[in-house]
Amino acid sequence: MTDTMINTGETGSAPSILAIRGLQKSFGSLSVLKDISLSVERGNVVSIIGPSGSGKSTLLRIATFLETGDGGDILYDGQYAMHNGVYVSKKELNTFRTRFGLVFQNFNLFPHYSVLKNITEAPILHGENKEAARERGMELLKKMGLEGKENAYPCQLSGGQQQRVAIARALAMNPEILFFDEPTSALDPELTGEVLKVIRQLAEEKMTMVVVTHEMPFARAVSNHVIFMDGGVIVEQGHPEAVFGATTQERTKQFLRNYKQ
């Protein structure tokens, strides 16, 4: 592809903030994603659920360019990042990367940076004024309930606090969409509640989010759309109440029996 981002040429309503069409991915002879298609509308929360090994995290990693897809399309705001398995240039991908933030399950904070520097480092590297970045970082710490922690180091924080710093770091770049990959899987139940409270707050503020999660009550309560994956395919997707409360898919029923609704 050329160095000019290609629009799909679609007319009518505004394009989805993220659209994935016919996505495929294999690792050697193992097919991990098989013809995955989904869209994320601006201001919505999409939760992706399913058993371990279903392809959820691989899907997220491909959507955020941490892995490469083998086929299909990825579009942000109607512009191709990948078309028929061919990616745009590295320069263009870097532009797409500024549109989203990613929160990992294991925090991935810089251990030798203070909390505030973890949050402000990326905006400053991208040209933001240091004082403006610091002011924004302090506002985000307050939003995350971490006032007074700006000079602490990650090792001095609980897991829940570290994950809230990671969320603040992702928000510092003013992303259009936030991706969460099992944001509570490394936390005990009490700390899980701290992080889910923050994500709920972001949902109320109409932050566009894609959340890979095993927290079924949370997915049911907060999502606008739920996707259930198994074996590298989307078994079912729809409104939370349709998936959790009225599914006709036997595989979905079997999976949900393992969780308290």
Side-chain angles (χ1 to χ4, degrees):
M1 288 194 180
T2 68
D3 280 346
T4 301
M5 284 186 258
I6 299 173
N7 193 284
T8 61
E10 294 176 351
T11 58
S13 59
S16 303
I17 190 168
L18 170 66
I20 292 175
R21 302 170 182 164
L23 183 63
Q24 301 167 43
K25 176 65 177 179
S26 295
F27 293 105
S29 61
L30 178 63
S31 180
V32 179
L33 296 177
K34 309 164 187 174
D35 196 23
I36 298 291
S37 296
L38 60 91
S39 63
V40 181
E41 305 304 318
R42 195 173 299 276
N44 281 0
V45 179
V46 175
S47 289
I48 304 176
I49 63 173
S52 297
S54 60
K56 307 184 300 298
S57 291
T58 299
L59 171 59
L60 216 65
R61 290 178 64 82
I62 293 174
T64 56
F65 315 131
L66 294 175
E67 293 276 2
T68 56
D70 297 332
D73 301 337
I74 300 173
L75 302 94
Y76 279 93
D77 285 327
Q79 295 178 315
Y80 284 112
M82 179 178 80
H83 184 40
N84 292 332
V86 179
Y87 284 87
V88 295
S89 69
K90 185 177 179 180
K91 179 182 176 182
E92 290 170 309
L93 282 181
N94 285 336
T95 299
F96 280 115
R97 286 187 177 99
T98 65
R99 296 185 175 189
F100 58 76
L102 178 59
V103 179
F104 301 90
Q105 55 184 293
N106 292 319
F107 326 135
N108 284 19
L109 299 175
F110 295 111
H112 55 296
Y113 284 178
S114 69
V115 164
L116 187 60
K117 188 170 183 181
N118 263 285
I119 295 169
T120 61
E121 184 74 358
I124 291 171
L125 286 174
H126 281 81
E128 187 170 339
N129 174 273
K130 287 185 179 181
E131 189 53 42
R134 187 182 191 284
E135 185 176 335
R136 168 76 169 148
M138 295 297 285
E139 289 174 359
L140 286 168
L141 285 174
K142 183 177 181 180
K143 184 184 183 77
M144 296 295 124
L146 292 169
E147 286 180 282
K149 297 293 186 182
E150 62 271 14
N151 295 319
Y153 286 83
C155 65
Q156 297 172 305
L157 304 179
S158 71
Q161 290 172 328
Q162 290 186 62
Q163 192 62 294
R164 282 180 281 156
V165 172
I167 295 171
R169 179 179 62 181
L171 289 170
M173 291 294 291
N174 294 309
E176 297 176 41
I177 181 172
L178 267 185
F179 293 92
F180 294 85
D181 186 8
E182 297 279 12
T184 61
S185 65
L187 305 175
D188 65 35
E190 184 175 4
L191 300 181
T192 291
E194 294 178 5
V195 174
L196 294 182
K197 181 180 178 181
V198 169
I199 300 176
R200 285 175 186 268
Q201 179 184 347
L202 293 173
E204 290 169 4
E205 296 170 1
K206 299 300 180 182
M207 182 74 207
T208 309
M209 294 183 283
V210 177
V211 187
V212 170
T213 183
H214 59 270
E215 300 290 340
M216 298 302 121
F218 167 81
R220 185 171 188 171
V222 175
S223 306
N224 303 97
H225 192 79
V226 173
I227 295 170
F228 171 58
M229 291 182 64
D230 187 37
V233 301
I234 293 176
V235 175
E236 181 174 9
Q237 61 178 314
H239 188 275
E241 291 310 312
V243 175
F244 286 100
T247 181
T248 59
Q249 297 291 326
E250 189 54 43
R251 182 63 187 96
T252 309
K253 292 179 182 177
Q254 182 184 19
F255 174 75
L256 293 175
R257 284 190 199 108
N258 296 319
Y259 293 90
K260 294 180 180 179
Q261 300 301 305

